[in-house]
């Protein structure tokens, strides 16, 4: 028995090296459980249309359930690899025919790999989008928790722009800022999950629909979709949900990379603002004294890599005619790879985050040096009626003088006074930060109920 | 008077060639009207906090309104270029000081370029996202209209996958499929517009909030935001909305590029499925007979270009520490460029679409040749109890025979019969296509009410 | 025994999930034979500096040779995976210590993973660059061979620009054009191989060189490098050769993708210019009549994917401080992946090319239709003294007339006359094409002597 | 007179908004002087083939020389913009016809925009590649000069990997390392310039060569090419040189971005290793004390942007059929844009580099803290017969002890001793660094003779 799902018209056998070149099996293996679900739903559609007998349906279901176990226990992957098939769908199809005998031939009735792949991919997207939402929310939660602890400790540091000290802020305020992108990410992941559950391509067949009376509503319901898709041709060539998830993943990893960059900088002795736990650093094979922030460096590099991978996925679609072209296999593989790498990155970032401890005294002593109070001094002049431009110039000149005389700007006005003086909503003033944290906690709780 | 907004601390003048290198003025010019709006709102915040007198506020408003006119009539651009400023914000600031005298100095009280840039960019995003939604919806509408016309004409063609004839479908069905991505795009653009109107960064100052009592609620209201942003540090370094719009733009242009590819192929004499109006084609400087589908080729190439530009925008953020780094200027410029190019592409695509006419007889005669009825013949065997695999193999062998004998598969079953035989929702069966079009029209109308 | 190559300073064990996240073992496996070569050369450096005894050196060599066999027979990969190491270098190091006992500890004397990785990667680059040069040259050769055959057959076709018929040319001329990029690619690959053999990083240690008297010249010679590298710090952070190879690979695959696109178009029935052998096409699981040009579609999609992957590799370096950062691990993995995929694509393209047969009569009948002789007619007017612009306009108008009257332009002047009339070097005139092919064959032969 | 170079066959006028969409004039303006050169060479080809009379040739030359002046004095750009032409070539063509009357019609004899664009672009590439080689070499020279100064001053610092102190090195050694990529870049740019001067496409006409007896050798000679191109079809669709230059540019900017990152880090007060001159920094509109390393941040961001732009250029070619498609206009525009931005970045980087001063005492005091001598201590144990692994572990444990007791590792062995102890070629030992600098200076001088 050949494992290929076609061939009647061909006289020569396919070239095995070209089959290998064309195979997406390795990238597809993660789709296996979703293909089972898709096939079970297709049986509903076949039954609903009275296309298969209950006996055939039962036999197919028994086979699929057996394969589900082989997938879960890891034996199916080696079976599939040995077959020399083009993809996971072919592998499962072959195994069904082995297990269900002649009934097995009926599983593919009225189904094309086109609608099968599109549906399976959506199921994968829904699963991973929810997982990603969990990861992002939990990460945001872990950061907010630290924000709360550091707010209580009143830890202060000099916030930088352009890596130059800008203004003193509470570390709790900064951590609250760091949590925001992951809340946004969690919302975005949920929105991808919802979008991916909107319409079910199954029953679109190759592109035109089927002349078999498949019960598409029943299949869609069985898989938890809101409705069958509207147009078969569009449904089978549409990769929007997978791309949206991949994009959301890239963006979340970029957000993580920005914080990673800060933590790498801060773990250098020049700053000494954080200490990475032994569990979150690595050593050197040559230099015995090293303690390297590798997990964070890898998060940073993965962001750059994923930007490229996502661009590659998009580029496979540029100028690719609508409907199915084999190029979409690469689009799919890229999207899957982006998602899987990103989930690993977010999990690793969360793990490494646990190993971060803040060295409050280093932060605070640095915050009290320098001229980060300058803006507030200028603001005080403004409140006393000096024009902002004049105030800016005057304090600027005073900074230049103080710097040349190696002294502070104004002994009576330090970083803590500066923080306390803020009067706008969303500022680093302690009371405002407290409110921000409460608001973040509410949002996290609300997200929790949607997961 | 210097046009730079800083300098008190500096002894040497900035190097003009480095200022030129650092200037974002050219990319920023499109932001000018939004910076005016932002500044008007900041006056509200200053008034609400009693930081400026009513007289100063009035004088600032008068100046800004005058500049608004200079922007609209095009004179402001050359003024700004002559100034040698770093960005549009500096140019407007300089002009305000010229027009409003000493009052002009107060416009920047409690404001940093950081919150100013973030707010102005959001206003730009909202404007362009709505414009893009209009373009996408109108394009979808134009395609659906054609779908309706071709459905009435019962135009038939061989739909392809892999550029090989797959199954006969109605052209109306195919056009309905082509409209779907633009409906999706319109919805996505609207969602970006909404997200961009959620929270207003103005009043976040450099990153810590301000010690001036700015009325942030009043400013946010004046600009049509739902609320002031929650955390100043996050607000000033966040470029999510601009990136989301750029991404939505790239995706919509990719969708257009896929259709463009098909139209380019179809306009070749080998197909002859479409004829491009004189207005939508170009000639050759050497070859007098040429009629080239240039607008569609450029749409295709622009998609590829924009994928790269968007990747570049994302890459500027990878490993860029949170808060403001100058790198974000490039992120902003790239995002703006992607959006502006994409809007031009969508408009050009819509224009070129008007010049497309379908050559029904070429489509139909091709549809009646070949073996695209094979799937349906196999399905008939399946309905009669043959297993799908057996049916597939049997018809495949029959195709091989017919091909070698240069004859059709089954004289009684042609492409039209094939189309009529479809029984699943979302298929190419005429009645189903009619329903799809009604559903699309409803969705277009619903989108219209949100615009 | 721990498999990690560091740890003396650490109190807590490394987190296994973070070690897994940080492991590059899977991407590294292809480097195994090159790491053996690198280690053998390092033994030369140690012996040359009298840092190890001959007995230790012998014992290390014996161990490395044993591991070389385990790598070749495939058993080493599973050994390495079971170890939980960070990379292939650590795996081989661990195995050396198992096999060579206390002597094994000496292999890493004076060596850092930094110089080891840099050297091993260069050896990989040299190997793959030569392989790629072979593939590109052989592909060019295969295309030139076809050019020669089709020149003899005087096969003619209408060359297109913008997918519109432009001018009649010989197929041999077109195929000669198609071979050019692969000759360029072969030259480029050779140049990368040479550049990668210029200087040897081994002995640069972590970044500063070593205080052990390593004999760097001897090590460089043993590995076939022209010299040791000039500056240790630059040597360990330099990834130029790997990126250059990756880039050359991407470009060659893009070249292949352009021809693939043409073959996909030509294999559609609308053209029917080529027929793909059964071995080079695939069928459909649903549609029995299909013969899809999948290998060529995948070549096309892989080009797009690799563009993204290469961009990702470059992006990992943007703003990454000089010297070694862990980000470079991702750079390396991306570069390796691009190279390995590209080699597979070029091999598959060459394989699929073998299955292409040209349908001369379809090409020729299409070449004789249409108005592709228009340019030559205009040129004849020019030779008779009409100004080119006037000639262009006159023939253009004549095309419009002929088209509306459904007739040819000039019955006495057909495509063959047009081809024969060319008078410039490099043109499609048969004699000139013959010379081009001779020149290409000479260049291929010259390339052969360099491989 | 219409400015379009075609139209005879068309009944309706081209849609002006589509012409605008299709115009590459803005991106093309930099090509103007090269198009003049190309046209002058084409006149040689026409004369050589006796296609035009000497009088016509003279009149064409006079017109082109007049236009050359208009280009140089900047008036041509506005002329061209007002015309509404598709590209610079059309603009110059139109102006020639204005200036040369009926003779002007002859300039385009036997020429297509295809070979004209290909040739003009190569001339641009040659010019810019040489410019880039100068910039890269001068930058390398400026860095080597600093290396020399700092070597004399024996400035020492702790070199980092992973941003963690690794080993003490001489600043002169580090700067020598920094110069290497720009020497490599200069060589690469020269190699691109040479490759771009190899073969001249002019006379390839649209794709098939011409039936006019153009003297291609004479044209190629006039433009300084080694020979006419071998195959017309390949020549007109080949964009290799422009892409190679763009790629070399991206790589050089990435190299600059890596150094920029280090300088940004070092200009932070936490390091204080460098001070940026007033001319190379910018201030803040709100914070009077700021001194921001903006030029270096922009270099970093531009690297990321250019990676994306180059990827976009490559993506426009993926799956684009060989010969000319309009997509190549975007490829060209992207390549030009990458080159122009990169040249500006390299010049700005060189300018900002001049403003960098090293704060030796900060570097040195940091180098003497910490445990960066650990590797050398372990190496000493190795030289005394301890196995490397044992030595690494023993010193690692000693670091942990010393750290907990807040003391140095070994009072008798400090950073300077460590630097002096290096014994391998290419190391940071002062004598070796001196040799490296001599070698670099020789290479710079050799490069100078090739420029």
């Amino acid at each position: 028995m050949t494992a290929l799902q076609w061939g009647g018209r061909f006289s020569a056998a396919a070239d095995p090296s070209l089959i290998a070149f064309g195979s997406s099996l390795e990238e597809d293996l993660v789709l296996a459980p979703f293909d089972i679900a898709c096939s079970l739903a297709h049986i509903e559609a076949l039954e609903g249309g009275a296309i298969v007998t209950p006996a055939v349906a039962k036999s197919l279901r028994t086979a699929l359930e057996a394969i589900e176990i082989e997938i879960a226990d890891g034996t199916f992957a080696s079976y599939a690899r040995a077959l020399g098939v083009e993809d996971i769908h072919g592998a499962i199809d072959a195994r069904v025919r082995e297990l269900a005998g002649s009934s097995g031939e009926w599983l593919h009735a009225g189904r094309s790999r086109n609608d099968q792949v599109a549906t399976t991919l959506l199921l994968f997207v829904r699963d991973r989008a929810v997982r990603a939402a969990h990861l992002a929310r939990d990460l945001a939660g872990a950061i907010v928790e630290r924000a709360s602890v550091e707010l209580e400790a009143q830890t202060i540091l000099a916030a930088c722009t352009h890596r130059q000290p800008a203004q003193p802020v509470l570390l709790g305020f900064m951590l609250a800022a760091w949590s925001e992108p992951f809340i946004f990410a969690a919302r975005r992941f949920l929105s991808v999950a919802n979008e991916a559950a909107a319409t079910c391509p199954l029953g679109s067949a190759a592109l035109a629909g089927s002349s078999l009376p498949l019960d598409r509503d029943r299949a869609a319901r069985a898989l938890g979709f809101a409705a069958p898709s509207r147009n078969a041709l569009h449904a089978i060539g549409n990769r929007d949900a997978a791309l949206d998830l991949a994009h959301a993943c890239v963006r979340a990893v970029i957000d993580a990379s920005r914080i990673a960059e800060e933590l790498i900088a801060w773990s250098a002795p020049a700053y000494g603002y954080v200490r990475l736990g032994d569990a979150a650093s690595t050593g050197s094979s040559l230099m015995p004294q090293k303690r390297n922030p590798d997990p964070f460096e890898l998060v940073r590099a993965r962001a750059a890599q994923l930007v490229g991978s996502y661009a590659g996925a998009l580029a496979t679609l540029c100028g690719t005619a609508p409907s199915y072209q084999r190029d979409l296999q690469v689009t799919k593989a890229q999207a899957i790879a982006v998602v899987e790498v990103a989930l690993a990155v977010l999990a690793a970032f969360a793990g490494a985050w646990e190993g971060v401890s803040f060295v409050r005294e280093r932060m605070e002593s640095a915050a009290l040096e320098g001229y980060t109070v300058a803006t507030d001094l200028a603001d005080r002049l403004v409140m006393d009626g000096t024009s902002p431009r004049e105030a800016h110039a005057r304090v600027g000149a005073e900074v230049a003088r103080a710097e040349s005389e190696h002294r502070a700007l104004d002994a009576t006005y330090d970083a803590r006074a500066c923080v306390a003086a803020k009067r706008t909503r969303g500022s680093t003033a302690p009371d405002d930060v407290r409110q921000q944290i409460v608001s973040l906690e509410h949002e996290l709780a609300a997200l929790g109920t949607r997961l």
Side-chain angles (χ1 to χ4, degrees), chain A:
Chain A
M1 176 174 53
T2 171
L4 294 177
Q5 294 174 290
W6 41 265
R9 182 205 188 184
F10 287 64
S11 53
D15 176 336
S17 77
L18 286 174
I19 291 290
F21 174 64
S23 171
S24 64
L25 184 65
E26 287 305 318
E27 296 92 338
D28 278 353
L29 282 172
V30 296
L31 298 180
F34 307 105
D35 185 76
I36 297 289
C38 176
S39 289
L40 288 169
H42 188 56
I43 299 171
E44 304 271 331
L46 292 169
E47 276 195 315
I51 300 160
V52 296
T53 61
V56 165
K58 187 168 176 226
S59 149
L60 289 171
R61 282 197 186 96
T62 307
L64 288 166
E65 280 152 16
I67 301 171
E68 201 161 21
I69 291 165
E70 295 172 0
I71 292 166
D73 69 19
T75 55
F76 192 76
S78 27
Y79 166 83
R81 286 187 181 115
L83 268 185
V85 283
E86 289 177 290
D87 56 22
I88 191 67
H89 314 290
I92 290 173
D93 192 60
R95 186 77 179 124
V96 165
R97 284 180 283 123
E98 278 177 18
L99 295 177
S102 65
S103 300
E105 314 263 322
W106 285 88
L107 181 56
H108 212 58
R111 187 168 70 166
S112 161
R113 259 185 307 181
N114 292 359
D115 59 336
Q116 187 179 5
V117 165
T119 307
T120 301
L121 188 57
L122 283 178
L123 296 175
F124 167 83
V125 166
R126 286 160 52 183
D127 177 81
R128 293 305 198 266
V130 170
R131 255 199 234 183
H134 271 286
L135 276 168
R137 180 186 162 276
D138 290 353
L139 184 50
I143 300 174
V144 169
E145 217 166 281
R146 290 294 193 94
S148 189
V149 170
E150 299 298 335
L151 174 63
E152 290 325 302
Q154 294 291 317
T155 315
I156 206 165
L157 83 164
C160 292
T161 55
H162 312 259
R163 286 246 164 270
Q164 299 294 320
Q167 293 186 278
V169 298
L170 295 177
L171 177 56
F173 169 73
M174 184 174 279
L175 295 177
W178 288 8
S179 74
E180 295 267 14
F182 300 108
I183 289 184
F184 187 71
R187 285 201 286 126
R188 196 200 292 262
F189 284 128
L190 278 178
S191 144
V192 170
N194 289 338
E195 196 68 51
T199 64
C200 178
L202 201 61
S204 297
L207 58 74
S210 177
S211 50
L212 302 183
L214 298 161
D215 188 339
R216 294 192 63 206
D217 287 276
R218 191 163 149 184
R221 251 191 333 268
L223 291 169
F225 285 96
S229 55
R230 178 160 51 194
N231 177 295
L233 180 56
H234 175 249
I236 59 96
N238 177 13
R239 294 293 177 269
D240 278 332
L243 292 173
D244 284 346
L245 178 57
H247 180 247
C249 281
V250 173
R251 295 284 294 277
V253 171
I254 291 175
D255 290 326
S257 83
R258 300 183 68 180
I259 296 172
E261 169 76 9
E262 197 75 299
L263 293 172
I264 292 165
W266 287 1
S267 68
Y271 288 90
Y273 285 7
V274 301
R275 189 172 165 83
L276 303 182
D278 284 359
S281 3
T282 58
S284 155
S285 66
L286 181 68
M287 297 170 287
Q289 87 286 4
K290 291 297 291 286
R291 176 187 292 280
N292 294 329
D294 293 54
F296 292 114
E297 293 175 282
L298 287 170
V299 166
R300 186 174 61 185
R302 290 293 187 186
Q305 173 196 10
L306 290 179
V307 166
S309 301
Y310 183 61
L314 291 182
T316 61
L317 286 177
C318 292
T320 300
S323 94
Y324 187 80
Q325 321 297 332
R326 188 67 178 259
D327 312 63
L328 270 66
Q329 174 177 312
V330 178
T331 316
K332 181 186 71 173
Q334 283 286 96
I336 292 175
V338 167
V339 170
E340 297 298 80
V341 170
L343 292 181
V345 171
L346 293 176
F349 182 80
W353 173 259
E354 293 305 316
V356 169
S357 38
F358 296 107
V359 187
R360 293 170 188 164
E361 51 288 3
R362 288 294 299 266
M363 288 184 174
E364 301 197 8
S365 67
L368 295 167
E369 289 165 14
Y371 301 99
T372 56
V373 300
T375 307
D376 279 74
L377 291 181
D379 279 353
R380 288 204 303 189
L381 294 176
V382 169
M383 286 309 284
D384 294 345
T386 312
S387 90
R389 202 171 171 86
E390 167 66 19
H392 185 280
R394 216 191 286 169
V395 177
E398 172 62 14
V399 167
R401 263 194 309 279
E403 211 177 9
S404 72
E405 298 164 12
H406 305 285
R407 59 166 173 81
L409 266 180
D410 173 347
T412 68
Y413 198 77
D414 73 359
R416 292 218 176 272
C418 207
V419 163
K422 295 290 173 301
R423 295 183 59 186
T424 48
R425 276 182 61 187
S427 79
T428 191
D431 283 352
D432 203 280
V433 178
R434 195 157 293 118
Q435 280 178 39
Q436 293 168 34
I437 290 177
V438 168
S439 162
L440 288 163
E441 287 166 345
H442 280 162
E443 197 163 346
L444 287 166
L447 272 169
T449 63
R450 293 175 58 197
L451 283 171

